[in-house]
Amino acid sequence: MSTTDATWLSQDAYDRLQGELNELIAARPAMAAEINARREEGDLKENGGYHAAREEQGKAEGRIRQLQELLRVAHVGEAPRGDSVSIGNVVVIYFDDDTEDTETFLLGSREIAATTDITVYSPESALGQAILGARKGQTVTYTAPSGVDIKVTVVSFEAFGG
């Protein structure tokens, strides 16, 4: 994985996600006890409490795996500065040829969205893929999920502070 396709997290974001992971792991015994208690209520086919507890356990385990992988591959700190848009940059673009129609967003992991008020676009999104590697002043076109081609120009970009 190169630094341009790495997931960059501020130390605060990393710590918050690690804390969430620790809480989920610590809750495993209580969740297992809840499932066992519900199992003892009787017929599992018609035991809504049991099925709800199992579903919650599945969601929690999925989130644990997601967080473990994210934290395993994440780079903590400031994304490297470069001469083209990279993951971890706050990007300003304008749409079509209208310099007044601008948008500012962070190109990065959706996980970081909870740590900032700025809009976050994934590098895997159509817009994210189009601007990744673009230079200041460069115009790129991407196809929106609706099928419409959209032209954007990169006004500026800088490393996300946090």
Side-chain angles (χ1 to χ4, degrees), residues 52-112:
R54 292 280 301 175
E55 186 174 326
E56 282 303 310
Q57 180 189 40
K59 288 178 184 178
E61 290 301 319
R63 181 67 175 154
I64 288 170
R65 286 190 300 278
Q66 180 185 33
L67 288 171
Q68 286 173 328
E69 180 61 15
L70 175 65
L71 295 173
R72 185 182 70 76
V73 300
H75 296 277
V76 179
E78 188 174 304
R81 298 183 190 272
D83 61 353
S84 64
V85 175
S86 63
I87 296 171
N89 285 160
V90 174
V91 183
V92 179
I93 60 170
Y94 64 81
F95 294 90
D96 295 316
D97 293 316
D98 183 359
T99 59
E100 301 298 313
D101 185 11
T102 64
E103 183 171 3
T104 302
F105 58 90
L106 171 63
L107 184 63
S109 167
R110 302 294 291 171
E111 297 298 328
I112 202 166

Side-chain angles (χ1 to χ4, degrees), residues 85 91 93-97 105 126-143 149-155:
V85 175
V91 183
I93 60 170
Y94 64 81
F95 294 90
D96 295 316
D97 293 316
F105 58 90
L127 173 58
Q129 289 178 7
I131 66 166
L132 196 58
R135 296 182 178 343
K136 183 177 178 180
Q138 184 175 350
T139 300
V140 297
T141 303
Y142 69 95
T143 303
D149 285 342
I150 300 175
K151 183 169 72 170
V152 297
T153 301
V154 176
V155 176

Side-chain angles (χ1 to χ4, degrees), residues 8 13 15 20 29 34 36 38 42 44-45 59-60 78 82 85 97 101 106 117 124 135 139:
W8 288 90
D15 292 344
E20 180 184 350
E34 174 73 14
N36 285 334
R38 299 293 182 178
L44 295 182
K45 288 182 182 179
K59 288 178 184 178
E78 188 174 304
V85 175
D97 293 316
D101 185 11
L106 171 63
D117 291 332
E124 288 83 28
R135 296 182 178 343
T139 300

Side-chain angles (χ1 to χ4, degrees), residues 112-123:
I112 202 166
T115 67
T116 182
D117 291 332
I118 192 168
T119 300
V120 178
Y121 285 110
S122 167

